[in-house]
Amino acid sequence: MENYEELLRFYIVIAWHGTSERNAKKIIQSNNFLISEDEDEWLGKGIYFIESNKFWACRWAKKGKHKYNQSAAIKVLICARSDEVFDFQKDEWFRLFHKTKKELIEQGIINEKEKTDGHVIDFICRLYEKKNEKSIKIVRNFYGYTQENSNFLNVQVQICVKDPSVISEIKGYESC
Amino acid sequence: MFDKPITEMTLEEIDHAVEKYFDEVDKSGLLLDLLSAGFQLEEINFAYFGDLVSEEISNSKFRAKKVSKFISENFGGTDLEEAA
């Protein structure tokens, strides 16, 4: 374990993408995901996955925006460097997001709307890329659901892949 | 804003860096970055950009095409046209 610090430099996970069975087949055949550019994507433009959890990917496919009747979850391996991940679990990224959004609103640059969060994220990604000449490839966020009579949250970890090159392998799909 | 890796900064340093960025920002560059990040015209307060954006454009009757043309002419760049 002497090289554990080296391991921390990488973010490597299995992730699931919820979609229709038809789309899943197309993606597997083409070995290619299309980046979502919908305006209301809450982590900004990208390809959306759930970290290490097929259930939530299927849930999104069935109950989310598209409500697919025949849904599926595509399993992928994601590999990136930790410094390429805009990670809301880390206080620094969390602070950067909220401080930037606060300044944009308080200085009267943008109008306050919930759906602007994804745009604020993409704005930060753009500034980061200009300054560092390298890009943020993944945005990682947590969302928790409360359960009745329990103090525990049912948590999903959402991943928005900004750069498809971090999808190192598409392993296949499973019906939901 | 990103003079060193974000995870190596204290929260106070992050606050300061963001404030400094907005204090010193070039407004034309900022407008370009906002549009490229996907901000919609109705989300942007054009009054902030003052002289950069003509009264005609900042008027609520503006049209996306007009803004696209204006930005293209003034700032150049194809990504702006897409964003607008």
Side-chain angles (χ1 to χ4, degrees):
Chain A
M1 294 299 287
E2 284 176 5
N3 292 326
Y4 76 95
E5 284 189 353
E6 189 68 16
L7 289 174
L8 295 177
R9 289 176 52 212
F10 296 95
Y11 170 71
I12 301 171
V13 291
I14 292 290
W16 297 84
H17 174 80
T19 186
S20 66
E21 279 213 14
R22 191 176 167 205
N23 285 344
K25 285 175 187 168
K26 278 189 196 167
I27 290 166
I28 300 294
Q29 280 170 1
S30 65
N31 201 38
N32 187 34
F33 282 90
L34 289 178
I35 289 183
S36 169
E37 301 217 0
D38 286 356
E39 294 304 333
D40 56 352
E41 297 291 11
W42 76 342
L43 297 178
K45 292 174 186 172
I47 308 161
Y48 282 70
F49 296 89
I50 301 291
E51 186 180 288
S52 309
N53 191 313
K54 179 187 165 191
F55 169 80
W56 283 118
C58 285
R59 177 98 172 172
W60 189 90
K62 286 179 179 173
K63 308 276 186 185
K65 186 162 57 178
H66 300 292
K67 296 183 174 49
Y68 296 117
N69 287 326
Q70 289 187 303
S71 54
I74 302 172
K75 187 179 184 181
V76 302
L77 175 66
I78 290 178
C79 301
R81 289 168 52 98
S82 297
D83 61 2
E84 297 168 335
V85 181
F86 184 145
D87 191 347
F88 276 92
Q89 187 184 22
K90 293 181 177 165
D91 292 341
E92 297 87 357
W93 286 108
F94 190 81
R95 184 65 156 251
L96 177 65
F97 169 79
H98 285 285
K99 179 66 177 172
T100 302
K101 184 179 177 184
K102 184 169 178 268
E103 288 294 317
L104 283 167
I105 292 168
E106 288 189 356
Q107 296 208 23
I109 301 168
I110 63 167
N111 304 312
E112 187 171 9
K113 284 182 184 175
E114 187 184 345
K115 75 169 191 177
T116 60
D117 284 357
H119 298 150
V120 174
I121 289 169
D122 282 341
F123 172 69
I124 293 170
C125 289
R126 183 172 169 86
L127 297 186
Y128 184 88
E129 191 169 349
K130 282 169 74 176
K131 183 75 181 179
N132 289 280
E133 295 177 348
K134 62 180 179 180
S135 60
I136 290 167
K137 295 183 176 174
I138 291 170
V139 178
R140 183 169 180 259
N141 180 52
F142 293 78
Y143 196 84
Y145 296 86
T146 53
Q147 301 288 309
E148 271 186 55
N149 304 319
S150 170
N151 290 323
F152 301 113
L153 288 177
N154 195 349
V155 174
Q156 58 174 257
V157 183
Q158 305 158 341
I159 303 168
C160 174
V161 167
K162 303 283 181 188
D163 180 344
S165 71
V166 300
I167 303 170
S168 66
E169 188 182 346
I170 300 176
K171 291 186 166 292
Y173 78 89
E174 295 178 16
S175 298
C176 292
Chain B
M1 201 190 309
F2 299 105
D3 291 329
K4 61 180 179 179
I6 196 80
T7 52
E8 292 176 15
M9 296 170 77
T10 65
L11 300 185
E12 289 72 24
E13 284 176 327
I14 292 167
D15 284 353
H16 180 69
V18 174
E19 286 164 11
K20 186 166 177 279
Y21 168 79
F22 284 108
D23 285 346
E24 298 174 355
V25 73
D26 165 58
K27 287 188 179 181
S28 60
L30 174 60
L31 182 57
L32 187 154
D33 288 331
L34 290 170
L35 291 169
S36 295
F39 277 95
Q40 299 299 290
L41 298 173
E42 64 270 20
E43 294 175 289
I44 295 173
N45 179 11
F46 282 95
Y48 170 86
F49 296 94
D51 297 342
L52 272 178
V53 183
S54 71
E55 203 171 301
E56 182 187 20
I57 298 268
S58 58
N59 187 298
S60 60
K61 289 178 184 170
F62 66 72
R63 293 180 178 174
K65 272 188 180 175
K66 197 179 282 183
V67 176
S68 173
K69 185 168 176 285
F70 165 81
I71 292 166
S72 179
E73 286 171 357
N74 287 275
F75 303 120
T78 53
D79 55 344
L80 279 170
E81 288 171 15
E82 286 169 15

